[in-house]
Amino acid sequence: IVTTAGYYTPDNTDITANWTPTRATINASSVTNNSISGWYNDYNTPYSVDPGNVYWNAFPFYTNVNNNFMANNWGSNPVKFQRNTAFSGNGEHGHVGNYYNWSAAVAMNSTSYYTSDTISYPTANPQTSICPKGWRLPTISNADYTTNGTTNEFARLTNIYANYTGSGSLSSENLEKAPLYFVRSGYVNSSQQYYAGTYGAYWSSSVYSSNIAYFLIFDSGGVYPTHLNSRDSGFSVRCVAR
């Protein structure tokens, strides 16, 4: 996210009118000791963080991360990440990417209107996102996740690739393999970066309440495609085609 006027337009982004975010992306390319200056927990206005070029430094992606060193202290625990250079076994697929709070993910300067649970009414979700033109954020709903075309999209995705059957006790490694290449990027909250290498957290467009939204989270022990978290946290974004 940048503040340059005209940068986000309907021609290149999943929006219906030109959008200039009220806050520029925080440049955290030199962050150490997990601190990210300038991040404030705000439910309704956009915040985002660019940590620079940070890559998963192991192959395969689901390699155990315990007791491994990560350059520049980037992360809440020593894990397999490095800066600047893509690992040969993963290439650009191992790039951590940016972090967005929910308002930034749905490309809105104010999301205070969204206060009601939409799990039964996904059409009431925001219809814009930070995704490229022709792509959008996944929806989370209470629809049957085993049906093609379901609005319960993260559950359907994990059903197909990780054999999700309503239980979180399963391996997430298929999410981290080709063709998905989900990365355990951790998350940002309270001016800190947490659990890189442990958790992958990805926003949906679905609302739970005035300060909570639905998201997908996974770790080495489980996949949870209908989870809840505060909208002020900075998560990753993975888009689906319209």
Side-chain angles (χ1 to χ4, degrees):
I1 291 179
V2 296
T3 55
T4 304
Y7 183 87
Y8 286 106
T9 74
D11 292 331
N12 60 25
T13 315
D14 183 37
I15 55 179
T16 56
N18 291 357
W19 179 56
T20 300
T22 54
R23 295 183 178 88
T25 293
I26 298 167
N27 184 343
S29 60
S30 60
V31 63
T32 59
N33 300 321
N34 317 328
S35 179
I36 297 177
S37 177
W39 181 278
Y40 297 95
N41 291 2
D42 190 321
Y43 300 119
N44 294 317
T45 58
Y47 275 88
S48 60
V49 171
D50 179 1
N53 288 323
V54 180
Y55 298 90
W56 180 247
N57 188 32
F59 185 83
F61 280 97
Y62 50 88
T63 300
N64 187 283
V65 298
N66 294 329
N67 302 315
N68 292 302
F69 177 75
M70 186 173 69
N72 294 344
N73 298 317
W74 192 90
S76 58
N77 295 300
V79 295
K80 287 186 175 178
F81 282 96
Q82 68 176 16
R83 286 194 176 276
N84 301 323
T85 304
F87 186 69
S88 59
N90 301 324
E92 293 295 325
H93 293 302
H95 196 281
V96 169
N98 288 11
Y99 300 90
Y100 306 90
N101 73 353
W102 190 75
S103 294
V106 299
M108 297 182 69
N109 286 330
S110 175
T111 56
S112 57
Y113 172 82
Y114 293 96
T115 61
S116 299
D117 193 344
T118 63
I119 196 164
S120 298
Y121 310 99
T123 56
N125 295 340
Q127 299 300 302
T128 58
S129 74
I130 197 67
C131 296
K133 182 179 177 63
W135 297 76
R136 59 173 175 78
L137 289 181
T139 57
I140 290 176
S141 75
N142 53 10
D144 178 10
Y145 60 83
T146 65
T147 303
N148 288 335
T150 180
T151 54
N152 199 355
E153 291 174 323
F154 270 140
R156 178 60 175 159
L157 185 75
T158 55
N159 173 246
I160 294 171
Y161 289 98
N163 300 314
Y164 175 77
T165 58
S167 170
S169 298
L170 52 86
S171 174
S172 65
E173 67 181 55
N174 283 344
L175 299 183
E176 302 174 81
K177 295 177 180 178
L180 299 181
Y181 294 112
F182 276 66
V183 180
R184 284 178 273 172
S185 303
Y187 61 91
V188 173
N189 194 271
S190 301
S191 297
Q192 294 284 311
Q193 193 281 333
Y194 295 98
Y195 295 111
T198 301
Y199 296 109
Y202 291 80
W203 281 124
S204 79
S205 62
S206 300
V207 184
Y208 177 74
S209 70
S210 60
N211 59 0
I212 297 173
Y214 290 92
F215 75 109
L216 162 74
I217 189 169
F218 68 92
D219 59 19
S220 59
V223 178
Y224 309 91
T226 313
H227 223 51
L228 296 170
N229 199 83
S230 171
R231 285 159 43 169
D232 61 3
S233 294
F235 289 165
S236 301
V237 165
R238 180 63 64 91
C239 305
V240 295
R242 283 196 176 275

